Structures are given as structure tokens and as C-alpha cells.
């Protein structure tokens, strides 16, 4: 899920090469928990897990309550790092 905010709509929206297009914020039960980003291979396990979670925020408010249910759906190994040629 994502959102786009344009606060000065009376001005042109200018996107310049090299400038960030978006920022990412992670929300967890424990804000001190470390977050590690890796480029993941698109495996069958990953696609299946993502399909289970797709659009859940369209139907449920306060999605923190779904974290435990999502953890139960996790396969033994969800991510495999993508190896670039």
C-alpha cells in the first residue's frame, strides 16, 4: 500500500533525476527492532505469502492486530537473496 501527497497543487509537480521519489517508514510492535533490507528473489513461497496478505488493509482497520495471523502464515524460509549476474 502507498500514498501520494501533493501539498502545493497550485504549482507544477517537478520530479528531478537523482532526487528521492519516495521515503519508506517501517512500523513494528518494537520501534527499536532493527530492520534489514535485502533484494529478494521472487520465489513461489514469497508470492504465495504476498497473495495471502494482499489488500488486507482495504477490509481491516488497525492492521497491527493481524501481525500474529501473518506470522502463522510464514513459510519456514520466506526470503532468498537475489543474486545479480
Amino acid at each position: 500500500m502507498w500514498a501520494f501527497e501533493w501539498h502545493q497543487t497550485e504549482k507544477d509537480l517537478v520530479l528531478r533525476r537523482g532526487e528521492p521519489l519516495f521515503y519508506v517508514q517501517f512500523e513494528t510492535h518494537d520501534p527499536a527492532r532493527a530492520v534489514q533490507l535485502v533484494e529478494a528473489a521472487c520465489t513461489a513461497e514469497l508470492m504465495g505469502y504476498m497473495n495471502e496478505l494482499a489488500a488486507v488493509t482495504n477490509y481491516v482497520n488497525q492492521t497491527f492486530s493481524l501481525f500474529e495471523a501473518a506470522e502463522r502464515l510464514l513459510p519456514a524460509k520466506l526470503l532468498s537473496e537475489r543474486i545479480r549476474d
Side-chain angles (χ1 to χ4, degrees):
M1 303 300 290
W2 60 278
F4 181 82
E5 294 183 15
W6 182 6
H7 295 279
Q8 298 177 328
T9 56
E10 68 280 353
K11 295 183 179 181
D12 290 341
L13 178 63
V14 178
L15 304 174
R16 292 189 175 84
R17 184 179 301 212
E19 289 184 354
L21 183 57
F22 58 88
Y23 297 94
V24 176
Q25 178 179 346
F26 296 94
E27 296 179 359
T28 64
H29 284 299
D30 179 5
R33 181 179 172 194
V35 175
Q36 180 182 5
L37 297 178
V38 297
E39 185 174 359
C42 189
T43 63
E45 292 82 8
L46 177 58
M47 293 307 296
Y49 185 69
M50 288 173 49
N51 286 336
E52 291 287 334
L53 303 177
V56 69
T57 55
N58 292 340
Y59 307 103
V60 178
N61 208 357
Q62 301 297 322
T63 55
F64 283 114
S65 64
L66 299 176
F67 282 6
E68 288 178 14
E71 285 180 33
R72 286 192 299 272
L73 294 173
L74 276 171
K77 182 169 183 178
L78 178 63
L79 298 178
S80 297
E81 190 169 350
R82 179 176 175 203
I83 306 300
R84 292 196 167 255
D85 298 331

